[in-house]
Amino acid sequence: MPQSFPQDSVGIVTPQIIHFEQPLPLACGRQLDSYELIVETYGTLNADTSNAVLVCHALSGNHHLAGFHSEQESKPGWWDSAIGPGKPIDTNTFFVIGLNNLGGCHGSTGPQSINPETGKPFGPDFPIMTVPDWVESQARLADHFGIQQWAAVVGGSLGGMQALQWAIDYPQRLRHCLIIAAAPRLSAQNIAFNEVARQAITRDPDFNNGHFYENGNVPKTGLMLARMLGHITYLSDDGMREKFGRELREGKISYDFNPQFEVESYLRYQGERFSTAFDANTYLLMTKALDYFDPAADYGHNLAEAVRNALCKFMVISFTSDWRFSPERSREIVDALVAAEKKVSYAEVDSDHGHDAFLIPNPRYMDIYSAYMKQVASDIPPTSKENN
Amino acid sequence: MRADLEIIQEWIAPNSKVLDLGCGNGELLAFLQQQKQITGYGVEVDHDNITACLEKGVNVIEKNIDEGLASIDDSSFDTVIMTQALQVMYRPDQIVDEMLRIGKECIVTFPNFGHWRARGYLAFRGKMPVSKFLPYTWYNTPNIHFCTFKDFEQLCVERNIHILDRTVVDNEHKHHWSIRLWPNMLGEIAIYRITR
């Protein structure tokens, strides 16, 4: 008998793989001759495809946004708190698509895929992907589903950057853009953290210049260190104090180098878990996509000029304790949108959860998210509501 | 719609660009969007009001106005509005300057501390006025910079601010002939349209 899922869960979901034969030219100058995207969808696409919402993932995310792959799966998809019947992205209203981006390690073409030219995994030879490259691949995904215009493109962190890029690259193809816990480009400090993470991976002897698939060893230590470092930047000082304080696992100091503070064992656990579940080449590639993201660069470093042609409405949300992409960074986006006379709303949500706050339900965050998505729903053309 | 907003909306040109500082639940902007096809934004700090704006489809930006409006370009709005919020500002004079910098015209409304009831309260009871309209006590009031019509008009003279229109209304937002005759004594709310 099927286990019962919560009423507001999308329940059991099954991913699908979509094959693309049309070559995809990339910012780096290379191209992917053909590629696959793994996607999950929730809800029902209406007759004129006007109720579709694209959700873009962040650094380590994937296509599994909501629901469960099986009755045995202990945790739902990564944005289950926001997607489902009656949730902010209400699957009774919207048809929601989540995908794993190119270069990912969860089923879309990426470093683990076989390079048709060599018959071996791409590994480090997989082309570096950029946010505009991903948006282009997502536009083709929209074509595949017959979606001319998204009701909304939504994303947090690196996902929010993709949403912003959508508004710039395809102004006609989205009505709303939700940019959550993002930044218009990385700061030197952000890039510095990414570089330490990359060094941790590439200097792991098991990394083998990225060709580690053949010999069966994975650079676990490097990935673990990268994740531990990343994880610190996703939490806030207050949040860590609240969660771990200076609690000791054994209740006393042992005067050795074993993990004694709770925070140490937590980070090791997170790092180790990640190191077996994620691909090192993908991690490197995702951090590069972050570093390179700078839509204003093509417009004389003027973000207002970059968004000048956007046609959609924007909702920008930041979190008070997020120091990876702080509220100031979101305000840069808002200021540029106001200067460009775009329709934009902005909310700054109180949270102790740092950058991770965008993944964690909090009453005010969910209120804002729901209120805005109701606006998105009301902008679905009425004819299609009747057809639905 | 709140009666002072009813008066203000008459001063807003169709298709103009409006910034409403302290926009509350977005009532005025929603009305202006529908009736006058204006574009613009509300600025608000209250969480419930922000959600109410989002539900109405009003662009709302969470921002503490006391932190300044420096990110907004000069003369980028046709009208900048601030209703019943001037008295809660840390530096009302600087806010008015900023409003006049970013707006071609500004509309400001505030409670008149020179109203006879407020005068009487202080004169006869010797205590800071508390009324239905000014319900706070001195220690918990958000209203930190009360002024009278005369005070505000003096500020306008000192700062070379040109008063385009002035309406004075009572608690019910009506303006009788007597208020027009003796505004600083009988008017409870001042509505000014100013420019520089």
Side-chain angles (χ1 to χ4, degrees):
Chain A
M1 275 301 287
Q3 166 196 330
S4 70
F5 294 108
Q7 284 256 307
D8 59 357
S9 168
V10 295
I12 293 276
V13 292
T14 309
Q16 54 176 303
I17 290 173
I18 299 162
H19 195 81
F20 295 83
E21 281 299 336
Q22 190 196 352
L24 182 72
L26 305 168
C28 65
R30 296 168 60 190
Q31 70 171 26
L32 286 173
D33 293 331
S34 66
Y35 54 94
E36 286 176 337
L37 293 175
I38 188 166
V39 304
E40 270 179 30
T41 71
Y42 323 96
T44 310
L45 187 62
N46 63 12
D48 62 358
T49 70
S50 62
N51 69 334
V53 172
L54 174 68
V55 177
C56 305
H57 71 76
L59 195 150
S60 61
N62 54 42
H63 56 287
H64 184 33
L65 311 176
F68 300 84
H69 282 157
S70 71
E71 282 149 30
Q72 287 72 44
E73 199 176 43
S74 59
K75 278 174 113 183
W78 59 268
W79 224 354
D80 194 86
S81 59
I83 300 163
K87 289 179 181 172
I89 302 181
D90 191 338
T91 48
N92 291 325
T93 305
F94 298 110
F95 174 68
V96 184
I97 301 183
L99 80 155
N100 184 213
N101 277 328
L102 288 171
C105 56
H106 293 96
S108 290
T109 303
Q112 291 174 324
S113 307
I114 299 298
N115 181 350
E117 286 172 22
T118 63
K120 290 179 180 170
F122 278 101
D125 301 327
F126 193 82
I128 297 269
M129 302 297 298
T130 64
V131 169
D133 293 334
W134 284 332
V135 167
E136 182 58 36
S137 69
Q138 291 159 3
R140 293 185 183 184
L141 184 62
D143 295 341
H144 169 85
F145 282 96
I147 297 160
Q148 277 88 47
Q149 186 182 61
W150 300 102
V153 178
V154 184
S157 190
L158 177 56
M161 294 170 175
Q162 291 160 58
L164 175 58
Q165 192 74 51
W166 260 99
I168 295 168
D169 289 355
Y170 286 103
Q172 311 276 358
R173 296 198 70 173
L174 67 162
R175 288 191 294 277
H176 291 270
C177 177
L178 283 84
I179 303 167
I180 304 173
R185 64 184 161 274
L186 263 60
S187 66
Q189 188 192 47
N190 294 147
I191 295 170
F193 277 119
N194 281 346
E195 175 57 10
V196 177
R198 284 190 292 264
Q199 287 292 317
I201 291 169
T202 55
R203 285 167 185 265
D204 183 325
D206 285 333
F207 181 65
N208 194 24
N209 293 318
H211 296 284
F212 51 84
Y213 306 107
E214 293 88 339
N215 52 25
N217 290 332
V218 295
K220 269 190 69 176
T221 308
L223 254 179
M224 176 182 153
L225 288 172
R227 184 58 171 183
M228 284 170 76
L229 178 75
H231 211 93
I232 298 167
T233 71
Y234 304 149
L235 304 176
S236 75
D237 191 16
D238 284 346
M240 287 177 101
R241 186 178 301 122
E242 176 84 12
K243 193 166 180 178
F244 311 108
R246 292 178 52 87
E247 293 298 311
L248 295 164
R249 294 173 68 206
E250 308 287 332
K252 60 181 195 320
I253 288 171
S254 58
Y255 297 98
D256 58 33
F257 297 110
N258 293 314
Q260 293 153 58
F261 290 98
E262 284 292 352
V263 66
E264 294 176 299
S265 53
Y266 172 81
L267 280 180
R268 287 189 190 199
Y269 169 76
Q270 290 293 334
E272 268 166 26
R273 206 177 55 148
F274 188 76
S275 70
T276 55
F278 209 81
D279 178 81
N281 285 314
T282 290
Y283 200 89
L284 296 176
L285 193 144
M286 293 283 168
T287 61
K288 273 291 172 190
L290 273 163
D291 291 0
Y292 290 154
F293 179 69
D294 187 4
D298 294 337
Y299 298 85
H301 295 282
N302 182 334
L303 189 60
E305 281 308 314
V307 298
R308 187 73 65 192
N309 293 326
L311 296 169
C312 62
K313 282 188 83 168
F314 293 85
M315 176 80 226
V316 180
I317 302 175
S318 71
F319 299 90
T320 50
S321 62
D322 184 352
W323 58 283
R324 186 181 175 92
F325 297 143
S326 68
E328 286 75 16
R329 311 307 314 283
S330 284
R331 271 186 241 131
E332 285 175 41
I333 298 173
V334 174
D335 289 345
L337 291 168
V338 170
E341 306 192 351
K342 301 301 154 190
K343 291 174 176 166
V344 54
S345 289
Y346 171 62
E348 211 167 285
V349 176
D350 286 309
S351 169
D352 274 350
H353 291 293
H355 187 57
D356 267 351
F358 87 89
L359 296 167
I360 298 168
N362 139 337
R364 181 166 188 238
Y365 175 31
M366 290 296 123
D367 279 355
I368 292 162
Y369 208 159
S370 295
Y372 193 79
M373 288 309 296
K374 285 200 181 92
Q375 224 188 101
V376 176
S378 70
D379 284 343
I380 296 172
T383 48
S384 55
K385 276 180 193 160
E386 284 158 25
N387 294 341
N388 201 1
Chain B
M1 188 159 62
R2 223 171 72 196
D4 56 334
L5 304 183
E6 192 71 58
I7 294 168
I8 291 168
Q9 63 88 8
E10 290 171 19
W11 289 341
I12 306 293
N15 305 306
S16 62
K17 227 186 129 190
V18 176
L19 182 67
D20 187 355
L21 299 173
C23 65
N25 63 13
E27 192 180 16
L28 178 64
L29 284 172
F31 176 86
L32 292 172
Q33 273 171 217
Q34 282 153 21
Q35 301 298 316
K36 300 207 174 183
Q37 288 72 50
I38 63 107
T39 55
Y41 313 90
V43 177
E44 185 52 64
V45 283
D46 180 85
H47 294 174
D48 292 338
N49 278 337
I50 289 168
T51 307
C53 288
L54 294 175
E55 281 166 354
K56 285 191 182 75
V58 165
N59 299 319
V60 62
I61 292 169
E62 180 165 351
K63 185 180 176 64
N64 181 349
I65 301 160
D66 275 330
E67 286 167 8
L69 304 166
S71 61
I72 303 174
D73 292 338
D74 294 0
S75 301
S76 51
F77 289 90
D78 295 306
T79 309
V80 179
I81 301 169
M82 180 181 272
T83 60
Q84 305 290 70
L86 194 64
Q87 73 280 1
V88 307
M89 293 293 121
Y90 180 63
R91 283 294 298 269
D93 59 330
Q94 292 177 355
I95 290 295
V96 170
D97 278 344
E98 274 293 85
M99 289 174 68
L100 290 163
R101 178 183 65 80
I102 60 182
K104 292 165 194 154
E105 270 184 33
C106 299
I107 296 170
V108 178
T109 84
F110 56 87
N112 175 30
F113 215 62
H115 184 259
W116 69 269
R117 267 198 221 111
R119 294 189 197 201
Y121 205 101
L122 187 58
F124 297 112
R125 298 196 194 187
K127 293 171 83 177
M128 288 302 281
V130 177
S131 66
K132 191 177 123 204
F133 190 64
L134 301 169
Y136 302 97
T137 47
W138 64 273
Y139 50 82
N140 67 5
T141 181
N143 303 317
I144 54 173
H145 284 116
F146 273 126
C147 67
T148 70
F149 299 172
K150 272 192 181 168
D151 290 326
F152 184 76
E153 292 192 7
Q154 193 182 333
L155 175 72
C156 292
V157 171
E158 286 167 11
R159 300 288 171 97
N160 291 319
I161 298 166
H162 183 52
I163 298 172
L164 296 171
D165 265 308
R166 182 185 78 175
T167 299
V168 174
V169 294
D170 66 12
N171 210 354
E172 264 85 53
H173 302 273
K174 291 178 187 136
H175 34 172
H176 302 291
W177 62 270
S178 57
I179 295 180
R180 256 168 277 161
L181 199 65
W182 212 2
N184 202 28
M185 187 67 100
L186 297 179
E188 287 190 295
I189 299 168
I191 307 175
Y192 282 89
R193 189 155 73 102
I194 55 177
T195 187
R196 186 159 262 158

